[in-house]
Amino acid sequence: MTAGTLSMAAGGATTTPEREPVNKWLVTVSITFGTLMGAIDASIVNVAVPHLTGSLGVTVEQITWVTTGFVIATVMVMPLTGFFARLFGQKRVYMFSLVLFVAGSALCGMARNLTALVLFRVLQGLGAGALQPTEQAILRQTFPPEEQGMAMALFGMAVIIGPAFGPTLGGYIVDNYSWPWIFYINVPIGIVSLLMVSRFVHEPPDVRAALHLMAERQRKNMDWYGIGLLIAGLGTMQYVLEEGNRNDWFESFEIKSILLVAVVSLTLLVIRELSARLPAVDISLFRDGVFFSGTMIGAVMFAMLMAITFLLPLFMQLMLGYTATQSGLALMPRSLTMLVVMPIVGRFYNNVSPKITVAFGIVLFAYTAWKMGHYTLASSTGDIVNVLIIQGVAFSCLFIPLTTVALSSIPRHRLSDATGLNSLLRQTGGSVGLAVFATLLTRFATRARGAMLANVTMDRSAVLARVYALQHALTGRGISSADAPGMAARIIDGQLRQQAMVLSFERLFYLSGILFLLVLPLVFFLKMPEHAEAHEVHVEM
């Protein structure tokens, strides 16, 4: 096909009759339902693990596949969102994905064995994977350039707040009803969203025409090799991230073998997509410095968000004796702060340089990480909540400018490709952060305990005095003099383990802040677009 250019002004002629403009807020509400449900379902199952193991008669290790299967399926679909949008249209892709998600949810609730539940969770994940990037693209095309910050604020509230409220909602449902209802609740909400999307969401004529022309080319140049490599590479990589820590990483032949497959597949994928005539995944978008910088910082942000969200409840439960419900409620102030601050940041997005806002967010997060590094066994709920409120402000200052400016120079008809890659990197960043910090928690604790044991010897007067004091206290409580020395030694060892774990948490909190500061130089590549979002679409044929 010869090279050609489709040029369409915003009000330019088109063979498609012009629709009456739909209220942008109705569009937002319509498509946010699906994204919010998908974000919640990524974490809502975690609180139902005891009920699932008892109901299905499986072990905790086996039940983890309910979450792993969902995440792997979600990750594999995200970068293909643009590919599907070109073939079928953004609205159709969103509606089909929503139907798939709702059907998977209903089937999950009806599952009565582990195999069926995992298969239906994979189906649910395949539907959820396209919801986030498609919503992001639709919002970017619906809101005018001067309101892009507010559009991304609304998107961010669904993406970030969903996982925060998921465990709380799941705990309430499981405690008051039964575990199938954590899936059934998606059905009526999904149906309402589907009806609203069909009524209120319409693709802009310029985007629809551009995608139609690109689809004609794509059908003649289907990138089956790229799709196969993508599925193999992302699926195996996500498996390694999800299961690596449980299998002791490179001590496991299985993990090493699967990691090799992932590395080879992803390397071949990059080579293939950069040379394909019409790639299924448009990796060339990363040549745009603004898109690359915004996406990379966003990936690190999600890595730290998931790491802190994993570490804090553990610290509160293991070190401070909180219940699961109490630790979940203690995290709520951060989510509530983000609910309040995100729209404010979105409202003032056009008035403040994204470099300043993002740099401020990075420094503010590093400050909260430093404060967390000072947590001790005597830390109060107030100490934790105060830091989390500040952290909520930091993440709000990061998410809105990053998601907005990263896509600022992407043409409208390529937004589905860009949002798919953007969502993929966020999801992958979160998985990497969770896997790395979960592994380091144990290793740092082991090293700290080893270092302290070297100083706990009976030739030191302080240690000797402590042992005699414990033995005296134990014999005073009725423990025999023969058993008291051994019990005193176990008590001291328990205290050492506890202090070692505190030191491990401290190092990880500090590490999260340091890692975030290392991406600070990428902020200089972020810049506001020099002109409003283009109303012209050019497609090379």
Side-chain angles (χ1 to χ4, degrees):
M1 189 175 289
T2 58
T5 303
L6 169 71
S7 182
M8 242 183 241
T14 175
T15 57
T16 305
E18 290 292 334
R19 298 179 183 271
E20 290 186 11
V22 178
N23 187 296
K24 61 193 174 189
W25 302 112
L26 284 175
V27 174
T28 301
V29 172
S30 301
I31 59 178
T32 299
F33 274 131
T35 300
L36 185 59
M37 288 190 298
I40 287 175
D41 269 54
S43 60
I44 197 172
V45 174
N46 296 340
V47 297
V49 166
H51 298 80
L52 288 170
T53 53
S55 177
L56 303 178
V58 295
T59 64
V60 173
E61 288 73 19
Q62 291 172 314
I63 210 67
T64 57
W65 271 103
V66 175
T67 299
T68 301
F70 179 88
V71 174
I72 290 176
T74 300
V75 165
M76 289 192 298
V77 171
M78 281 180 171
L80 289 173
T81 304
F83 171 80
F84 292 131
R86 288 191 293 274
L87 284 180
F88 308 111
Q90 288 177 165
K91 180 178 176 178
R92 289 193 185 98
V93 169
Y94 188 89
M95 292 182 68
F96 178 78
S97 299
L98 190 56
V99 169
L100 203 62
F101 177 80
V102 171
S105 298
L107 291 170
C108 283
M110 293 185 282
R112 291 299 175 264
N113 60 71
L114 180 63
T115 302
L117 182 57
V118 171
L119 287 176
F120 296 146
R121 278 286 279 177
V122 169
L123 182 67
Q124 193 187 36
L126 292 174
L131 294 177
Q132 269 190 40
T134 308
E135 178 191 355
Q136 199 173 358
I138 291 173
L139 286 177
R140 291 295 300 234
Q141 294 160 359
T142 300
F143 281 71
E146 65 273 12
E147 297 180 7
Q148 293 294 303
M150 181 57 69
M152 291 302 96
L154 297 169
F155 172 72
M157 289 167 68
V159 172
I160 291 185
I161 305 303
F165 283 95
T168 304
L169 176 63
Y172 176 81
I173 292 174
V174 169
D175 288 341
N176 293 277
Y177 300 97
S178 58
W179 69 262
W181 283 99
I182 64 177
F183 301 112
Y184 287 147
I185 193 174
N186 292 328
V187 177
I189 299 174
I191 291 174
V192 171
S193 178
L194 194 62
L195 293 173
M196 293 183 69
V197 170
S198 65
R199 173 68 178 83
F200 301 118
V201 176
H202 306 292
E203 288 177 284
D206 59 335
V207 174
R208 186 168 60 249
L211 291 178
H212 175 74
L213 290 178
M214 295 174 71
E216 291 299 318
R217 284 187 62 202
Q218 189 161 278
R219 290 189 181 96
K220 296 176 182 179
N221 300 276
M222 290 295 287
D223 185 19
W224 296 116
Y225 290 112
I227 294 173
L229 289 169
L230 174 77
I231 293 173
L234 291 182
T236 50
M237 179 194 70
Q238 195 64 39
Y239 177 86
V240 170
L241 293 175
E242 294 286 324
E243 301 294 320
N245 189 43
R246 202 164 11 251
N247 291 281
D248 203 17
W249 293 103
F250 301 121
E251 297 300 319
S252 166
F253 176 77
E254 175 191 6
I255 294 298
K256 287 190 289 188
S257 302
I258 295 176
L259 179 62
L260 178 62
V261 173
V263 171
V264 172
S265 299
L266 291 175
T267 302
L268 293 176
L269 173 67
V270 172
I271 296 172
R272 168 66 186 179
E273 298 309 89
L274 290 177
S275 60
R277 185 174 180 184
L278 191 64
V281 183
D282 195 356
I283 298 176
S284 65
L285 287 167
F286 285 117
R287 292 171 180 164
D288 184 309
V290 176
F291 177 71
F292 176 80
S293 300
T295 301
M296 289 299 107
I297 298 175
V300 176
M301 178 192 74
F302 260 75
M304 297 305 102
L305 174 63
M306 294 303 294
I308 294 298
T309 304
F310 164 73
L311 291 174
L312 264 181
L314 271 183
F315 179 82
M316 288 185 280
Q317 292 176 51
L318 296 178
M319 303 292 99
L320 305 182
Y322 286 32
T323 64
T325 302
Q326 288 172 331
S327 61
L329 290 175
L331 292 175
M332 293 297 288
R334 183 177 65 188
S335 303
L336 296 175
T337 300
M338 293 170 73
L339 276 174
V340 174
V341 177
M342 272 189 170
I344 298 173
V345 176
R347 176 67 180 81
F348 292 101
Y349 169 76
N350 291 321
N351 304 111
V352 182
S353 169
K355 293 181 181 179
I356 296 175
T357 309
V358 173
F360 175 74
I362 290 175
V363 173
L364 196 59
F365 174 82
Y367 170 72
T368 62
W370 177 76
K371 292 285 288 183
M372 287 178 175
H374 288 75
Y375 286 163
T376 67
L377 296 175
S379 295
S380 66
T381 303
D383 297 330
I384 295 172
V385 168
N386 291 337
V387 173
L388 286 177
I389 290 174
I390 301 173
Q391 198 172 85
V393 176
F395 281 127
S396 299
C397 291
L398 287 164
F399 189 88
I400 307 305
L402 287 175
T403 52
T404 307
V405 76
L407 303 172
S408 61
S409 58
I410 305 298
R412 284 159 63 90
H413 66 286
R414 299 180 73 186
L415 277 173
S416 293
D417 290 283
T419 55
L421 290 172
N422 191 270
S423 298
L424 170 67
L425 266 292
R426 281 201 309 268
Q427 181 70 46
T428 304
S431 297
V432 170
L434 193 58
V436 170
F437 277 67
T439 301
L440 292 179
L441 179 64
T442 303
R443 295 189 178 181
F444 283 174
T446 302
R447 290 179 186 175
R449 178 174 175 271
M452 287 189 289
L453 276 175
N455 296 308
V456 181
T457 56
M458 294 302 290
D459 59 351
R460 299 187 61 181
S461 58
V463 175
L464 198 60
R466 178 64 176 166
V467 171
Y468 285 153
L470 282 172
Q471 290 180 9
H472 180 72
L474 290 170
T475 54
R477 294 182 179 182
I479 305 297
S480 67
S481 56
D483 295 333
M487 190 170 291
R490 287 194 293 273
I491 291 174
I492 291 176
D493 184 60
Q495 292 172 341
L496 285 177
R497 290 178 185 275
Q498 188 180 49
Q499 291 296 330
M501 190 61 76
V502 171
L503 290 174
S504 180
F505 278 110
E506 173 189 309
R507 291 176 183 176
L508 289 175
F509 288 139
Y510 286 148
L511 179 62
S512 67
I514 293 170
L515 289 176
F516 224 154
L517 287 174
L518 290 178
V519 301
L520 197 56
L522 289 177
V523 171
F524 294 104
F525 293 96
L526 301 177
K527 60 181 179 180
M528 293 279 282
E530 296 180 0
H531 51 78
E533 188 170 328
H535 289 289
E536 289 191 48
V537 178
H538 298 283
V539 183
E540 295 300 323
M541 301 299 293

